[in-house]
């Protein structure tokens, strides 16, 4: 069974005359153990696709299925719980709570979900791998764009989710860091059996993907 | 509490300003209602301090003690018990050598009756002779001392202050307690008149004597000159003040939460349960409003100490408790309205992808 399935998903914004269709009949599935890469130019609907897949935005029509649960049939509360336990989100912007230090971003997760998170040792290894081990006492405003992005990645992984949804996780990173992040996502899929979906226009990530899709004018095709 | 406290710690200035605003608003409400209530009290303090529950007056007196006169012929028919006492009220001007003139209310009592027996003396003693008087503390605040010899109106002879008593005000003037004989002199009436009226601490006191009308304490107080008008004014003033204070605080907390919606959207995207956000909002709003109220109350207490003794200020605890709870509740509701909003919509629509 795929970890994540979108069937006949469309998304429209606006009403009547100025209505735009951003996604048109999208059919997509992601499997545990694989990295799926969705490429597309700016404005093609990548973020819309990803946020619908993770249930923080509802599709106009169509179904989203996470493991055996259909998002449309869940209550808001159940959907929040599903995100907390199964889905790690790396959003394009605005991932961190501005008044929490890097360390507290993780502590907050411990408070609402005491079990199943990374151990302290694993977290510190992850932070070191991402090159942000020294930044735990900083507030988000004190981080650079690339550092923020890496903290957001660590935060999403900390919950140890089955599915990781990443929106432009490498936008602010140099090539060396891109390789680190790409390898990290690849290893998570292979060694920890995660389903990973990355939407990006960063072609440098192609080397780490098992499947590559193209999104263009609201249509998704296999590249 | 974790999120609530972290946020306050990180944004000290912003939260400090909100607390400061709650402090000012609650201070305003406390002080103004204290002043209004204090003034209202000065109309009735003396009557309340006697433990009055009924008051009997001449039925032609238009329900006013100072206009009422009871003849001995009438009072002889009243069959008083030791729950009743004669009161003779007369407006006077008091003066003593080297002291300012004071407008006061003279209250003539019969020494063995319950009102005279129960008077609380803060210093000195109760009058023992007709030439001795017991006066309200505000005489002391104006420089009068025990042993001062006081002239009342233009009457012959002087009266010696032998004691002070607390909270003795009638129609916003300080009370001078003396004898019924002195009252007759001040009122220019003969011995055919016994007193202005009769007060009773017995709720069943209801004489059927012709020419006598019996009022409850509240009926009597409401008829005090200017009392009802004054009270209506203050009631409306305080009510408006409270409503505006509650709305202002609710609006501030509403704006405060509105500004946090993007953060809440991030938290929801991460799967932080809605209940955590609601609890955070409530605990934070409570913390801000409660600290503001506490500081406002402390400031009010400091103000009471700092104000000159003559400024009437007194606090009605149920009223203040109501105000406090009202401010707290509206604050929390104000803070929660926007949260409801974000729990209904998709997080992304707030943060935008
Ligand atoms: N809430 C919205 N209301 C109206 N239009 C929207 C909304 N969100 C997105 N859009 C439109 O949908 C289209 C796709 O947006 P989306 O953010 O998914 O693009 P993207 O592929 O992620 O772009 P980028 O690479 O720049 O991040 C854009 O044309 C955008 O203007
Ligand atoms: Mg995008």
């Amino acid at each position: 069974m795929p970890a994540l399935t979108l069937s006949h998903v469309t998304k429209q914004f606006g009403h009547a005359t100025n209505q735009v269709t951003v996604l048109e009949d999208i059919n997509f599935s992601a499997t545990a153990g694989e990295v799926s890469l969705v490429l597309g130019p700016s404005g093609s609907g990548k973020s819309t696709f990803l946020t619908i897949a993770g249930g923080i935005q509802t599709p106009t029509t169509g179904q989203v299925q996470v493991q055996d649960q259909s998002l449309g049939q869940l209550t808001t509360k159940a959907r929040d719980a599903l995100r907390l336990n199964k889905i790690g989100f790396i959003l394009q912007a605005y991932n961190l709570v501005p008044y929490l230090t890097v360390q507290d971003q993780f502590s907050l997760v411990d408070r609402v979900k005491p079990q199943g998170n990374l151990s302290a040792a694993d977290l510190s290894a992850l932070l070191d791998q991402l090159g942000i081990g020294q930044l735990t006492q900083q507030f988000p405003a004190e981080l650079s764009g690339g550092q923020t992005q890496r903290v957001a990645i660590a935060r999403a992984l900390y919950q140890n989710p089955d599915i990781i949804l990443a929106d432009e996780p490498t936008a602010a990173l140099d090539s060396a860091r891109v390789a680190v992040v790409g390898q990290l996502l690849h290893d998570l899929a292979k060694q920890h059996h995660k389903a990973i979906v990355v939407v990006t226009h960063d072609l440098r990530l192609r080397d780490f993907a098992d499947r590559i899709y193209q999104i263009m004018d609201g249509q998704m095709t296999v590249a | 509490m974790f999120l609530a406290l972290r946020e306050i710690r990180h944004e000290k200035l912003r939260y400090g300003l909100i607390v400061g605003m709650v402090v000012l608003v609650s201070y305003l409400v406390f002080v103004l209602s204290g002043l209004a209530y204090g003034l209202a009290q000065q109309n009735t303090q003396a009557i309340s301090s006697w433990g009055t529950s009924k008051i009997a007056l001449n039925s032609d007196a238009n329900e006013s003690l100072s206009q009422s006169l009871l003849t001995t012929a009438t009072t002889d028919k009243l069959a008083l018990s030791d729950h009743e006492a004669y009161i003779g009220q007369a407006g006077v001007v008091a003066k003593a050598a080297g002291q300012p003139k004071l407008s006061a209310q003279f209250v003539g009592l019969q020494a063995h009756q319950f009102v005279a027996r129960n008077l609380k003396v803060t210093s000195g003693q109760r009058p023992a002779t007709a030439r001795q008087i017991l006066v309200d503390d505000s005489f002391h605040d104006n420089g009068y001392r025990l042993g001062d010899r006081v002239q009342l109106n233009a009457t012959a002879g002087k009266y010696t202050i032998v004691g002070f008593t607390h909270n003795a005000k009638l129609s916003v003037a300080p009370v001078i307690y003396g004898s019924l004989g002195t009252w007759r002199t001040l009122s220019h009436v003969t011995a055919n008149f016994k007193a202005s009226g009769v007060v009773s601490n017995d709720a069943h006191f209801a004489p059927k004597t012709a020419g006598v009308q019996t009022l409850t304490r509240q009926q009597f107080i409401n008829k005090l000159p200017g009392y009802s008008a004054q009270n209506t004014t203050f009631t409306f003033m305080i009510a408006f003040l409270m409503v505006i204070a509650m709305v202002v605080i609710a609006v501030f907390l509403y704006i405060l939460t509105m500004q946090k919606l993007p953060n809440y959207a991030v938290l929801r995207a991460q799967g932080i349960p809605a209940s955590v956000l609601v609890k955070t909002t409530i605990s934070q709003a409570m913390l801000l409003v409660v600290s503001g109220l506490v500081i406002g109350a402390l400031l009010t207490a400091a103000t009471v100490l700092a104000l000159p003794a003559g400024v009437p200020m007194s606090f009605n605890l149920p009223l203040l408790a109501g105000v406090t709870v009202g401010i707290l509740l509206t604050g929390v509701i104000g803070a929660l309205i926007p949260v409801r909003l974000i729990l209904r919509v998709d997080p992304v629509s707030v943060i935008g992808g």
Side-chain angles (χ1 to χ4, degrees):
Chain A
M1 184 185 55
L4 172 70
T5 313
L6 278 74
S7 334
H8 305 296
V9 164
T10 63
K11 180 69 180 179
Q12 294 168 335
F13 289 110
H15 299 283
T17 51
N18 54 2
Q19 192 170 58
V20 285
T21 302
V22 176
L23 298 177
E24 235 181 295
D25 197 31
I26 300 283
N27 291 287
F28 172 89
S29 65
T31 313
E34 288 187 349
V35 176
S36 308
L37 197 64
V38 179
L39 292 168
S42 179
S44 55
K46 299 186 297 294
S47 298
T48 309
F49 161 77
L50 198 75
T51 51
I52 287 175
I56 55 174
Q57 177 155 226
T58 39
T60 310
T61 60
Q63 308 291 323
V64 180
Q65 180 122 359
V66 174
Q67 293 173 345
D68 53 354
Q69 291 179 294
S70 183
L71 288 190
Q73 280 155 19
L74 297 181
T75 61
T76 307
K77 194 173 172 178
R79 228 177 303 153
D80 284 351
L82 184 76
R83 267 203 299 281
L84 186 63
N85 294 302
K86 306 277 189 205
I87 300 175
F89 247 118
I90 305 162
L91 294 170
Q92 191 166 2
Y94 231 127
N95 278 291
L96 304 177
V97 183
Y99 49 85
L100 296 182
T101 60
V102 170
Q103 180 57 51
D104 280 343
Q105 311 274 344
F106 300 108
S107 311
L108 174 64
V109 177
D110 287 333
R111 281 169 180 270
V112 292
K113 174 176 175 258
Q115 254 130 52
N117 303 318
L118 294 193
S119 67
D122 286 348
L123 175 61
S124 109
L126 174 65
L127 294 180
D128 287 340
Q129 190 182 353
L130 289 167
I132 47 174
Q134 310 303 312
L135 303 177
T136 54
Q137 295 313 313
Q138 312 282 91
F139 285 99
E142 299 163 344
L143 302 175
S144 74
Q147 288 168 338
T148 308
Q149 209 156 27
R150 283 175 277 153
V151 173
I153 293 169
R155 213 220 62 89
L157 301 183
Y158 182 66
Q159 289 165 241
N160 202 10
D162 294 343
I163 302 165
I164 294 161
L165 305 176
D167 193 344
E168 306 279 11
T170 55
L173 302 184
D174 56 44
S175 294
R177 297 280 187 211
V178 171
V180 169
V181 170
Q183 194 59 48
L184 176 66
L185 294 174
H186 186 81
D187 293 348
L188 281 167
K190 300 304 164 195
Q191 290 160 20
H192 299 278
H193 213 62
K194 311 283 185 201
I196 297 181
V197 181
V198 180
V199 305
T200 186
H201 60 250
D202 189 347
L203 298 176
R204 295 172 293 181
L205 283 171
R206 293 171 82 132
D207 303 341
F208 305 96
D210 297 292
R211 290 164 195 281
I212 301 180
Y213 302 85
Q214 187 85 37
I215 200 166
M216 187 80 88
D217 296 333
Q219 314 261 4
M220 187 179 272
T221 49
V222 179
Chain B
M1 247 352 197
F2 176 76
L3 284 172
L5 289 177
R6 294 299 148 114
E7 192 172 14
I8 292 174
R9 210 163 68 186
H10 194 244
E11 305 252 16
K12 292 189 191 71
L13 178 65
R14 173 187 299 192
Y15 287 96
L17 288 175
I18 298 270
V19 171
M21 200 259 327
V22 178
V23 167
L24 290 180
V25 170
S26 54
Y27 180 61
L28 181 72
V29 172
F30 291 158
V31 167
L32 285 193
S33 58
L35 285 171
Y37 193 68
L39 187 55
Q41 288 271 292
Q42 292 208 337
N43 282 292
T44 60
Q45 263 175 356
I47 293 166
S48 303
S49 75
W50 301 338
T52 310
S53 65
K54 284 287 180 65
I55 189 155
L57 303 173
N58 183 318
S59 49
D60 295 326
N62 195 23
E63 296 158 351
S64 159
L65 184 63
S66 56
Q67 314 272 335
S68 172
L69 280 177
L70 297 179
T71 61
T72 41
T74 310
T75 56
D76 285 347
K77 293 183 212 143
L78 285 176
L80 301 186
S81 73
D82 59 1
H83 288 289
E84 283 81 47
Y86 294 119
I87 301 284
Q89 186 196 350
V92 292
V93 174
K95 60 179 185 242
Q99 308 290 13
K101 272 189 206 171
L102 288 184
S103 291
Q105 291 291 336
F106 184 89
V107 172
L109 300 174
Q110 204 150 61
H112 65 271
Q113 289 183 321
F114 86 95
V115 172
R117 282 202 320 265
N118 293 344
L119 286 180
K120 291 209 171 46
V121 177
T122 47
S123 67
Q125 59 193 54
R126 297 200 181 101
T129 72
R131 286 284 165 184
Q132 296 184 341
I133 53 175
L134 175 72
V135 300
D136 177 58
D137 274 347
S138 58
F139 274 89
H140 193 272
D141 300 336
N142 280 291
Y144 286 77
R145 292 293 176 265
L146 287 178
D148 279 359
R149 292 168 49 71
V150 181
Q151 184 177 358
L152 300 177
N153 290 348
T155 54
K158 303 241 167 149
Y159 298 84
T160 308
I161 298 179
V162 295
F164 287 101
T165 180
H166 195 51
N167 281 348
K169 293 258 170 42
L170 197 55
S171 294
V172 201
V175 167
I176 299 173
Y177 289 109
S179 71
L180 284 171
T182 310
W183 165 73
R184 269 182 219 106
T185 313
L186 291 168
S187 310
H188 309 291
V189 296
T190 65
N192 289 337
F193 292 94
K194 184 73 185 174
S196 305
V198 172
V199 298
S200 172
N201 59 15
D202 175 3
H204 303 296
F205 177 66
K208 297 273 183 287
T209 316
V212 173
Q213 174 189 24
T214 313
L215 304 173
T216 63
R217 192 173 88 97
Q218 199 54 49
Q219 283 169 338
F220 174 73
I221 287 174
N222 288 341
K223 284 288 184 175
L224 285 175
Y227 179 81
S228 290
Q230 201 186 66
N231 256 21
T232 313
T233 306
F234 283 134
T235 305
F236 274 93
M237 203 179 85
I238 293 173
F240 277 119
L241 186 68
M242 266 173 63
V243 169
I244 291 172
M246 292 195 290
V247 170
V248 166
I249 289 174
V251 166
F252 263 81
L253 290 177
Y254 176 86
I255 294 172
L256 187 74
T257 313
M258 283 302 273
Q259 291 177 333
K260 307 198 282 212
L261 289 190
N263 296 343
Y264 283 179
V266 170
L267 291 166
R268 274 206 59 211
Q270 295 176 355
I272 306 295
S275 60
V276 171
L277 304 187
V278 171
K279 272 186 222 151
T280 297
T281 311
I282 294 179
S283 56
Q284 198 178 61
M286 297 264 269
L287 193 67
L288 296 177
V289 177
V290 167
S291 24
L293 286 169
V294 167
I295 300 174
L298 292 179
L299 268 184
T300 309
T303 307
V304 171
L305 293 180
L307 277 180
V311 180
M313 210 164 176
S314 109
F315 296 93
N316 179 333
L317 284 183
L319 177 75
L320 288 189
V323 176
T324 307
V325 171
I327 289 180
L328 200 59
L329 275 186
T330 43
V332 170
I333 292 170
L336 276 181
I337 293 170
V339 176
R340 215 174 55 99
L341 202 85
I342 193 164
L343 299 182
R344 276 210 324 255
V345 303
D346 292 337
V348 160
S349 61
V350 180
I351 46 180

